[in-house]
Every structure is written in C-alpha cells, then in structure tokens.
Amino acid sequence: MSRGARTLLREEAGAPEQATAPALPLKGLAEPLVDDTPPLPEAIPLEPARALVLADLQPPRAGPIDSMLRWAYRLGVPGPVLAAPLRKPAAPRLLATVATPLGGERAAGMALRAGQFLVHGLKVPADKVDFASSAPLTPPVQRVVQGFTWLRDLAACAPREDCAGIAEKLLARWLKANPVPGKGPAWTVEHTGLRLLAWLVHAPFLLGGEAKLRGEALAAMEASARYLDRQVARAEDGLGQVAGWCAIVAAGLLLPDGRPRRLFGEAGLLRALGELVADDGGVLSRSPLAQMEAIALLVDLRACYDAAGREPPQALETMLGLLVPPLLALRMGDRGLGSWQGAGATSAARVDTLIAASGIRARPGKDSRHWGYQRVDAGKATLVLDAAPPPRSRHARYGCASTLAFELSHGEQRIVVNCGGAELAGGLVPVRIEQGLRGSAAHSTLVLDEANSTAVLIKGQIGKGVEEVDIARTTVKQKGRDAVRLEASHNGYAARYGLIHRRTLLLGADGSGLSGEDVLEPSGRQGKRGKIAFAIRFHLGVGIDVGLSDDRRGAGLALPDGSYWQFRLGGDSGEAHIAIEDSLWVDGQGRPRATKQLVVEGLTSRSGGRFPWLLKRMG
C-alpha cells in the first residue's frame, strides 16, 4: 500500500444503536437490472496531487531591525518599548476601520435583533444567556456567545445605526461577566482569537456609543491581545492556534505600537498554517466546517491588512488558493456541501458567500489524496467518496468513522447521503446522539457486526481502527465515453475480524447509473471459520419514497424531482436481502430531517464475501 494514506489510531471500537422500521412492499422489481458496463482494466494508483511548497509558507523577508523586533517581542519585551522607546505608550485606539468582504447570515442577524441568538436552528433568548466563562452552555452556543461570531450576522442584517445598540449592550454584558482574562470556554485560544478578530473587524458596531464603554472595549482588546501573545501556543488544536495568530496579527495592524506584535504574529501564523493544512490544501481534521473557518479567518485578516494600508504576506494568498479547491470538491448537485466529519449539509448560499469573499476562482479538486475525498462528475450526477482514514486523534474535532462512505446527487436532488451534523449537536441536533452521528452506521458504507470501522470516542476523538486506505482511480470507456471507476479498501476490521473491506464504484458516463461492489476478503493467508453479520447502508435524501420488491433484493426510489430510480442486488450476493429503516439527515440550517435508508444485510462467511449492487435511473 505504498500510496495508501496511513494513520495510527488508538482505543477500541463502539457502535451506535440503530432504528428499524417495517418494510414497504413494492412490486415489479423481481428481475435484476442489467449493468452493461464493459470489462474493466486493472486499476492504477493515483498520481500525487499538487504538493504544498514549504517555501510558500516562510515568514516575509525581514531586515535586521525587523528580525530583532520579532525576536525581542517573542522574549516578552513590551511592544511600546520596542516601537517607541523614547515616549510614553500611546493611548488605546483603533488606527483604521476594516471593511471585510465576508458577509454573515441575515436570518441569524434578524433573530438577534428580535432578541435571540440563532445557533444551528436553535433560538436562544439573548437576555437569558449567562456570559460568564463558567456558564453551562452547549459547545455551539459557547462558540457563538464567547467568540462573538454573531457580530458578522448582525452586520449583515441592517445598517450600523439600526443595530449598533444591540451590539453595545451585549458587549457591555460580556465585559461585566469577564472583566479580565481568566479560564474556561471564554478564554480558550480559539474563542479568544475569534472574539478579538470580530471586535477589530466590526469595531464600528461596538465603539460608537458612550465613552466609558468605548474605553473598556479598547482596554479589553489590548488585554486580549496580550493574553494571546502568551497563550497562543497552548491552543487545543491547529485551527484554534490559527485563530489566535490571526487575531495577534490583526491587533498588530490596528492597535498602536503594533509593529513588533505584527512581525511576531506573521511568523507564528505562517508556521501554524503549515501545520494545519496538508500538501493538497485540506485541513488535517478533514472537516468542511474547519476548512471554511480557516478561509474565513484569512479573508478577515486580509481585510485588516487593507485597512492598515499594508500588503499581506504572499503566503496568505497562496494559502487561500490552496484551501478553496478541496472545499469545492465536496459540493453536491445543489451546490451545498456534503456531510463529512461532523459537518451538516452546509447551504449553497453560505459557501457562495465565502468563496466570493475569498476572491479565489478555482475548479473543485477531484483526487486530493491527503484531504481524502474523491469526486466524480458525470452528466448531472456527482459522486463523492471518503477514501482516507479518519483524521489523527490530535487533529480530530468531531472525528467520524466514515471510511469508504459515499454521497451521490443527480441534478439538485441528493440521492445517497450521510447523516452528518455531529459538530452541530447542541443546536437543534440533540447532544445525546452526537456520538451516534459519528459512527459508521450513520454513513453510507459497510458495517461489520454493528461495530465502527474506527473507534468513536468522547469529546470528538477517535481511537483504533482504519490505519491504511488504498485508492485507485481509473478511466474506462463506456459506450464510447469516459467513465470513472474508483476502487478503495481499508483495514479497519482486520484486527478484530480478519477482514478487509474493499469497495468499487463506477459512475456511468451519462450519470444515470452507479454500479458498485462491496467485498470482504481475508486480511491473512487463511480466512477464519464461521459467519458474521454485516450491513451495507445507503442513507437516502429527504423526500425520497422507497419501497421493496417482493423478493427483498430490489427497491424502487421515487424522488421529489419526479424521477424514478431502482436499486438491485447482484445475483452472486448470497443470502443478503434489503430492508428499509428510519434515518435522519442534518440540513444546511442545522435541522435534523427524517429520512429513510436502504440496508443490505445478512450473514457472510468469516472467509469473505462479495455483494454487487446497481442503482440506476429508470425514468
């Protein structure tokens, strides 16, 4: 497996409970569908993706004076002493007004004007929120409240004079509850960085009122910047560290005597970006939400450079150019994102806003090896396959056991999906099901013995399981047109059950059919004896009506767009049969939506088995 992605993981695997529902009969599907795919050539490994050049992330070249200032500031010499040693420190003030191109969500802003924080669909009364760092808030609410991410949404819903009073009132309450830097969720490096950057970017909403509040806010900005100077290296993960460094650089640009802090921050930021992002531009947590957050941070920071009249380091533009294509690879036919590594199906409007603000024009990446998602487009169909191990435990935020899961859309209709939404738990998604949403059974892949392919642990972490993934992408001819065949395997069940899961997917050249095969093969020279239960899950998009054929080896899918598809097991899939079970899907607003899933289930020999299937549009 010389080209396989490799990850060393820890802990044993668990399995979430599964809901079941009675099967719905549907006649007329007893005959197998015909797959007219020609014989396929031997698959070849992928070529390496475009590599990140380390020289692209070097700190800007500095003369001896700048190098000395950076070194002295890192050692703890105060910025005013280094910037102007012969005069008194300048009074706190902002040196420029920032105009960020990145807009927020108008609906959330309007909800806040009505007195409620809108957090992934959940409305939280603002007047009842405890701003203290020790307040028992769910993680998504903590992020909004303590990170002041609501400022962007408020700015998007109305002119400043109409909503500045709301921002000032909430700021005053927060300052009263958090007079000095302390401990707890309010003072994690990530929340502090998000908050300080939001204050600096949206300062006109906070500093236009009475002088007392303005003075307290400016003092809090400087205190937060000093706190980050000391604590940024202790961030919980790479994204939190990047948020902290972005705020340090922004403070160096917009607060007085900031040159030493800016130089210090630029070197730290570029180093942190190099540790956050893989060679192909995907963040190492493999989370679409983390990818979007990294882009948003750099967009806001670039706006701070523009406000200060300085050119940002070229490495920031290079990094934006690397971050955007992997994100676009996860767009489905409705232009929203797929549900991967804890993310919900982020809406097309939100993605469009972010990409437009980045200023990067790029095509979706198709075969990013480190990011791990393979994309195939054919006709109106889009297929995305998770072809990498879950993130390493130190990078995982809401790590999911989703290896070899796939999503499929045709036009704007999502047909096969993953449940998604673990990272949104605490909004409308109940916290109690967060771990279940991260399990293999919540994804469209094969599950052995109701166990996860990689152990799902608490606090977003993952344990032992998938260590190696092999992936090969082949172009084949189908009726004179090119079609793409993906073949991948993982060893997540090898240690416990002695079996390798291999999945082959071929999306037809016209996008009207997907043929697949799931294979279990012995990981050693000799297979084990006995039988083991398996389930291949196909979670279906919202609004799809599904019914079974009489022999329980086929199913009909009536889609909301009026099209009709059939799913059929191949003739050599043994005693496997199809069941219909309840499922859920978390949409772009963070709302859990009731759906159905097709489950190919049965017992298979511990020495292996083959389960071919075909999903084809019939009209």
Side-chain angles (χ1 to χ4, degrees), residues 397-467:
R397 297 207 131 196
Y398 289 84
C400 295
S402 59
T403 311
L404 300 197
F406 77 93
E407 293 199 337
L408 174 70
S409 67
H410 190 272
E412 296 186 358
Q413 176 64 54
R414 298 188 186 221
I415 303 176
V416 179
V417 299
N418 300 309
C419 295
E423 189 166 349
L424 312 184
L428 287 182
V429 177
V431 174
R432 68 180 182 275
I433 68 171
E434 178 259 334
Q435 273 191 278
L437 292 176
R438 295 167 49 216
S440 296
H443 297 81
S444 294
T445 188
L446 179 144
V447 182
L448 266 184
D449 199 29
E450 297 186 354
N452 294 319
S453 59
T454 297
V456 172
L457 310 179
I458 62 173
K459 296 183 179 179
Q461 296 302 294
I462 52 178
K464 287 184 178 180
V466 178
E467 297 175 350

Side-chain angles (χ1 to χ4, degrees), residues 537-587:
R537 299 185 177 273
F538 302 84
H539 297 271
L540 302 178
V542 172
I544 296 179
D545 291 328
V546 57
L548 292 179
S549 62
D550 291 341
D551 63 358
R552 298 184 66 191
R553 293 179 63 82
L557 285 65
L559 276 55
D561 64 3
S563 62
Y564 184 77
W565 294 62
Q566 287 187 5
F567 179 90
R568 188 74 193 174
L569 285 176
D572 56 349
S573 53
E575 299 178 359
H577 61 272
I578 302 174
I580 298 173
E581 297 182 3
D582 290 331
S583 183
L584 66 84
W585 176 72
V586 180
D587 68 13

Side-chain angles (χ1 to χ4, degrees), residues 9 55 59 172 271 278 314 320:
L9 304 166
R271 184 172 57 251
Q314 181 57 41
L320 278 172

Side-chain angles (χ1 to χ4, degrees), residues 16-61:
E17 296 182 358
Q18 300 299 323
T20 60
L24 302 177
L26 183 71
K27 299 181 180 297
L29 290 176
E31 295 301 322
L33 300 177
V34 177
D35 182 4
D36 53 7
T37 304
L40 300 176
E42 186 70 21
I44 58 173
L46 290 175
E47 290 301 317
R50 175 190 172 190
L52 177 66
V53 180
L54 294 179
D56 289 340
L57 293 179
Q58 293 299 316
R61 288 191 175 185

Side-chain angles (χ1 to χ4, degrees), residues 3 44-50 280 325-326 329 363-377 383 385 387 471-475 484 486:
R3 294 187 184 273
I44 58 173
L46 290 175
E47 290 301 317
R50 175 190 172 190
D280 51 22
R363 294 181 178 179
K366 292 185 181 296
D367 56 1
S368 303
R369 297 189 307 138
H370 297 282
W371 181 233
Y373 301 105
Q374 292 288 315
R375 177 188 180 93
V376 180
D377 294 297
L383 170 71
L385 171 71
I471 172 68
R473 183 182 183 115
T474 308
T475 301
V484 175
L486 300 176

